[in-house]
Amino acid sequence: MNKLIDKTRVILIGGSSHVGKSTLAQSFAAKLGWSYRSTDKLARHPGRPWMGKKLKPIPEHVAQHYKTLSAEALFLDVLSHYQKNVLPQVEVIVHCHASDLSKECLIVEGSALWPEFVANLVGEDGVRAIWLTASEKLFRNRIKRESNFDNVAENEKYLIQKFLDRTLFYNKRMRGEVERLGFICIDVESISMADELLEKYMELMEVS
């Protein structure tokens, strides 16, 4: 594992919303002593359609976004946002940390790391990548728990369900893209701890 880490400058962690990317990325960064960045902070897009812990009302434009678009249309819209508004920034960040040895090594995570978009970054200049996946049950449980689904009004449940449908659509398409491109994908339910996942990832990276 140490030899692989010595040759690696940047690790990209992709996957759908609520799969556990940020938790894993922060654990990796802490274990390796690297910096951490989330693509969520790079550009705005209609976010999660529920009030959250601060109990702020759902903005009207967010509600309309989920009301008017199908799951596939929501997926295509967010993918377009990633490609136009997030990817150019990701490319600059990755190239900077990968090529400049004075910079800290870096973990970047986010749904914006769509496999096809970052394919040209992976494998060169010490850039590695991993995508996380999980069962529909895990996504449903996590999203419904975080959104307080069982205790909100029917109109809010509808919005949350649309977000969930988009998440599942993204995950299914992502798995197909990862397989097509020959990248590493790990089911988070098969691994119990971040350390174990890091070990598993390194094993798969050696094989690939």
Side-chain angles (χ1 to χ4, degrees):
M1 186 177 85
N2 290 335
K3 290 182 179 180
L4 286 171
I5 286 297
D6 288 343
K7 295 178 181 179
T8 302
R9 298 283 306 163
V10 179
I11 295 178
L12 308 177
I13 301 179
S16 194
S17 177
H18 288 78
V19 78
K21 300 181 301 297
S22 60
T23 300
L24 177 67
Q26 291 175 54
S27 295
F28 271 25
K31 182 176 178 62
L32 298 173
W34 291 13
S35 294
Y36 160 80
R37 292 286 296 269
S38 170
T39 63
D40 291 348
K41 308 297 183 183
L42 299 180
R44 289 191 172 189
H45 188 266
R48 300 168 182 180
W50 57 82
M51 290 192 293
K53 294 179 180 179
K54 295 183 179 180
L55 300 179
K56 291 183 178 180
I58 302 167
E60 183 58 29
H61 75 280
V62 173
Q64 286 300 317
H65 181 72
Y66 287 95
K67 279 180 183 177
T68 56
L69 297 178
S70 66
E72 183 173 5
L74 288 167
F75 162 75
L76 293 174
D77 182 79
V78 77
L79 213 61
S80 175
H81 163 71
Y82 291 155
Q83 187 171 29
K84 293 176 183 178
N85 303 318
V86 183
L87 181 62
Q89 298 182 69
V90 169
E91 290 176 336
V92 171
I93 291 168
V94 170
H95 285 311
C96 179
H97 283 263
S99 61
D100 187 349
L101 298 182
S102 69
K103 298 284 186 181
E104 292 180 293
C105 293
L106 180 67
I107 306 282
V108 183
E109 64 85 10
S111 299
L113 302 176
W114 185 250
E116 185 179 6
F117 294 167
V118 299
N120 64 319
L121 297 175
V122 180
E124 297 186 7
D125 296 323
V127 180
R128 306 288 182 176
I130 176 177
W131 279 266
L132 306 182
T133 188
S135 67
E136 289 192 8
K137 181 179 179 181
L138 181 142
F139 285 117
R140 291 184 192 280
N141 288 344
R142 285 185 177 178
I143 290 172
K144 288 188 174 182
R145 181 174 62 249
E146 182 178 317
S147 65
N148 196 28
F149 183 85
D150 293 333
N151 300 307
V152 300
E154 289 302 317
N155 62 324
E156 292 181 45
K157 285 183 178 179
Y158 179 77
L159 300 179
I160 295 166
Q161 184 62 51
K162 292 292 278 293
F163 180 91
L164 173 57
D165 291 343
R166 188 196 76 177
T167 298
L168 298 177
F169 194 96
Y170 179 108
N171 185 61
K172 183 177 180 180
R173 287 288 188 91
M174 182 211 74
R175 291 177 71 158
E177 281 295 289
V178 169
E179 183 177 350
R180 181 179 69 85
L181 294 167
F183 289 145
I184 297 172
C185 188
I186 295 179
D187 188 327
V188 297
E189 292 165 288
S190 68
I191 305 294
S192 59
M193 298 180 65
D195 284 357
E196 187 181 351
L197 185 50
L198 180 58
E199 293 289 343
K200 179 66 174 178
Y201 169 60
M202 292 303 172
E203 290 175 12
L204 292 173
M205 198 162 67
E206 284 217 32
V207 173
S208 65

